Amino acid sequence: MKTKDELPACPVATTVSLIGSKWKLLIMRNLLARPWRFNELRRDLEGISQKVLTDSLRSMEEDGIITRTVYPEVPPRVEYALSELGESMRPVIKAMEDWGTEYKKGLEERTD
């Protein structure tokens, strides 16, 4: 997890530094519904590479946004879920969803 001194002074820039990538936002969108396994995420997030997904998940875990649970099974099963901190982003993601929906409606109205 980053220290306060490592984060930008601006609160918006802090949020963007933690979840501002396209892939992190889409990972969070999925994890808002339920825990996901790595390969499920990779299949669902069209266009994401294995490396980018791995790096994004590691970064989000280090920042305390998600949890990684390894189940003692053979073969091992690993699930990713939002942490309490990640769950606190639910209203932000919902606001983005609402804004995107309204934006698309406005486009439809302008093209009709």
Side-chain angles (χ1 to χ4, degrees):
M1 195 173 289
K2 292 180 177 75
T3 66
K4 186 176 178 181
D5 293 335
E6 293 173 313
L7 294 170
C10 171
V12 173
T14 296
T15 303
V16 169
S17 75
L18 294 172
I19 62 150
S21 80
K22 165 188 173 179
W23 296 117
K24 286 182 180 181
L25 286 169
L26 294 177
I27 291 167
M28 288 186 70
R29 175 205 62 193
N30 284 23
L31 295 179
L32 283 169
R34 63 175 174 84
W36 288 66
R37 295 175 70 177
F38 183 89
N39 284 328
E40 288 181 305
L41 285 167
R42 198 176 71 189
R43 280 191 299 270
D44 192 70
L45 300 172
E46 191 174 317
I48 194 169
S49 70
Q50 183 168 334
K51 180 184 181 342
V52 169
L53 179 56
T54 298
D55 291 348
S56 296
L57 290 169
R58 283 184 183 154
S59 171
M60 294 169 76
E61 185 180 9
E62 287 171 12
D63 291 333
I65 294 169
I66 66 169
T67 59
R68 178 179 184 266
T69 305
V70 180
Y71 294 92
E73 301 172 354
V74 177
R77 178 171 52 108
V78 178
E79 284 187 346
Y80 297 90
L82 289 178
S83 65
E84 190 174 326
L85 179 64
E87 278 288 340
S88 73
M89 290 296 300
R90 186 177 290 275
V92 175
I93 305 297
K94 176 68 172 134
M96 292 174 74
E97 176 187 10
D98 293 346
W99 188 90
T101 300
E102 290 303 313
Y103 179 79
K104 288 169 83 173
K105 280 184 192 174
L107 286 177
E108 289 171 4
E109 292 169 4
R110 288 190 290 276
T111 58
D112 289 346

